[in-house]
Amino acid sequence: MTALLTIIIVLFVAVAIWQMVKIFDLAQVSNDTTNNGIATDYDNKINGYLMIAFLAFIYIITIICFVYWGDLPLMSNAASEHGAEIDNLMIISMILIFFVQTVTQFLLHYFAYKYRGVTGRKALYFADNNTLEAVWTIIPVITLAGLIIYGLFTWTSIMNIDEDSDPMVVELYAQQFAWTARYAGQDNVLGMANVRLIDIDKANVLGIDEADPNASDDIIVKELHLVVGQPVVFHIRSQDVLHSAYMPHFRAQMNCVPGMITKFAFTPSVTTKDMRERPDMIDKVQNINNIRAEKSKDLTAKGEEALDPYEFHYLLLCNKICGKSHYNMQMNIIVETQEEYDAWIAEQKTFKESLK
Ligand SMILES: [Cu+2]
């Protein structure tokens, strides 16, 4: 009760102060000729300097970001053959954007300062200048056209699935909230499938057509194994809503659309084992484990279980917000040698064997 009374009193005092400030403000209007709503030279000068200060602020923040986080290997760890092409496109776009924004920010803020309002100074009447208009239209057109054409060529070369390279066929099946992969088996042809054929009683979770001879040797798994240097083409399906098959290390992403099969093909170029041994990856994993060790200390102090150490894995993630457990939709990808892959796939059951 005392607390409530105190709050009410504080509230009343605040309202009283606010009202008094308003009254003083109103009382001053009549005899103050400078405060007529028009900015004075002094106001303009302050705003001009603030413009320059803000320019300095964004440049300083940029430099700090470069110093502290500039060495993050965001663009150097692609693990697929086409990955470097995507990274190049990205880095060229980034450098260009960075250069243009640095120059335009300077011009914007410097001119706002230089041409601030000064009593008696009149703005120059300037109708137009065709040369200037042409320059600032043609330069962006050429630059953007170059970027777009380069991007289109890159995209086409990545999306052009080379059937002569005999790619391994794998289905990625998305549903809320899990991934399932299906290998095409010995014949490298996937059996027909349709959501209407899903039969939970028989454990036919992907709706594979049992009558299709291509289906019997298909292999359904919950962990994706790929062979290094072997092209793979993914046939992507969704059971329920839009998902997106996102494999960031391979610079691959494709929407999973209910009712249709989308495709993406790539060739993994670095095995999981080799990726784990890269110095930058070792640093990264060490860093994550240091953070986890710190957290584990807090958890064990509370009597809870400590966190397991993190180990690097390539991942298949969902990149569409597809529902409340979207964040949990992921599958490990293991890139290995042909022998390791052969040994693993030999242990897996075929669709026919797994049917109940
Ligand atoms: Cu999803």
Side-chain angles (χ1 to χ4, degrees):
M1 194 64 193
T2 328
L4 184 67
L5 279 176
T6 318
I7 290 170
I8 290 173
I9 291 169
V10 169
L11 211 68
F12 275 128
V13 171
V15 171
I17 292 173
W18 179 55
Q19 290 292 349
M20 276 158 69
V21 169
K22 255 177 86 173
I23 291 164
F24 282 130
D25 237 23
L26 286 170
Q28 277 177 354
V29 171
S30 58
N31 49 18
D32 182 7
T33 50
T34 56
N35 191 8
N36 53 5
I38 296 170
T40 61
D41 280 1
Y42 177 74
D43 295 336
N44 288 329
K45 210 161 90 182
I46 294 288
N47 280 298
Y49 285 135
L50 282 174
M51 280 286 177
I52 294 293
F54 188 72
L55 181 66
F57 171 74
I58 54 176
Y59 282 175
I60 289 167
I61 287 285
T62 309
I63 292 166
I64 289 174
C65 289
F66 269 111
V67 170
Y68 282 95
W69 301 290
D71 63 340
L72 281 187
L74 295 177
M75 284 295 145
S76 60
N77 57 0
S80 61
E81 278 177 8
H82 75 272
E85 292 176 50
I86 297 265
D87 291 357
N88 256 342
L89 191 60
M90 192 75 179
I91 212 88
I92 289 171
S93 307
M94 283 296 177
I95 290 172
L96 212 68
I97 291 167
F98 182 75
F99 172 75
V100 172
Q101 86 94 23
T102 306
V103 173
T104 49
Q105 292 294 349
F106 172 79
L107 294 176
L108 178 71
H109 290 87
Y110 175 69
F111 284 138
Y113 162 76
K114 187 166 186 234
Y115 297 111
R116 66 192 182 276
V118 174
T119 317
R121 185 158 76 181
K122 232 176 145 185
L124 172 72
Y125 175 73
F126 189 84
D128 68 333
N129 180 327
N130 289 340
T131 321
L132 210 57
E133 300 258 356
V135 166
W136 72 45
T137 308
I138 290 168
I139 291 180
V141 164
I142 292 173
T143 319
L144 284 176
L147 264 188
I148 291 167
I149 291 168
Y150 174 42
L152 278 178
F153 272 103
T154 309
W155 178 246
T156 318
S157 85
I158 292 167
M159 294 313 292
N160 187 15
I161 300 169
D162 180 13
E163 300 290 350
D164 296 339
S165 65
D166 192 23
M168 176 160 82
V169 177
V170 179
E171 177 179 77
L172 293 180
Y173 185 79
Q175 71 193 103
Q176 288 172 320
F177 298 95
W179 292 103
T180 310
R182 173 162 64 119
Y183 287 82
Q186 287 290 327
D187 57 1
N188 205 27
V189 180
L190 287 164
M192 296 287 286
N194 190 300
V195 279
R196 290 190 177 81
L197 301 173
I198 291 175
D199 188 343
I200 299 299
D201 295 335
K202 294 181 82 177
N204 185 359
V205 288
L206 300 187
I208 300 167
D209 184 356
E210 290 169 42
D212 186 349
N214 292 325
S216 57
D217 65 345
D218 289 1
I219 292 167
I220 299 163
V221 291
K222 281 296 192 182
E223 189 176 64
L224 191 58
H225 284 241
L226 302 175
V227 179
V228 66
Q230 156 81 52
V232 52
V233 54
F234 293 104
H235 293 218
I236 303 165
R237 281 200 300 148
S238 166
Q239 177 175 303
D240 34 45
V241 298
L242 274 182
H243 299 272
S244 180
Y246 178 42
M247 295 170 264
H249 304 95
F250 305 103
R251 308 293 190 261
Q253 176 168 304
M254 183 50 70
N255 279 353
C256 320
V257 188
M260 68 186 284
I261 297 171
T262 48
K263 289 185 184 178
F264 199 104
F266 67 78
T267 308
S269 58
V270 186
T271 63
T272 301
K273 194 166 156 279
D274 287 347
M275 189 55 106
R276 281 179 186 160
E277 283 165 8
R278 285 191 176 181
D280 56 339
M281 189 52 77
I282 292 173
D283 280 356
K284 197 173 174 181
V285 169
Q286 188 58 48
N287 193 21
I288 293 172
N289 279 330
N290 289 345
I291 296 168
R292 286 172 85 95
E294 276 305 309
K295 276 203 171 158
S296 289
K297 268 189 215 161
D298 295 344
L299 289 174
T300 43
K302 283 189 222 158
E304 288 173 41
E305 229 172 282
L307 299 168
D308 292 330
Y310 164 79
E311 190 178 31
F312 169 78
H313 269 294
Y314 292 125
L315 287 173
L316 164 65
L317 300 165
C318 177
N319 209 10
K320 284 274 181 294
I321 312 276
C322 57
K324 63 180 174 183
S325 294
H326 151 77
Y327 70 94
N328 214 14
M329 208 172 148
Q330 53 175 272
M331 183 158 80
N332 282 347
I333 303 176
I334 289 137
V335 179
E336 56 200 0
T337 61
Q338 185 72 51
E339 296 79 58
E340 289 167 322
Y341 171 80
D342 291 343
W344 172 80
I345 200 87
E347 285 173 12
Q348 310 303 316
K349 274 190 189 163
T350 62
F351 172 62
K352 209 173 176 185
E353 289 164 352
S354 68
L355 276 183
K356 279 181 194 160

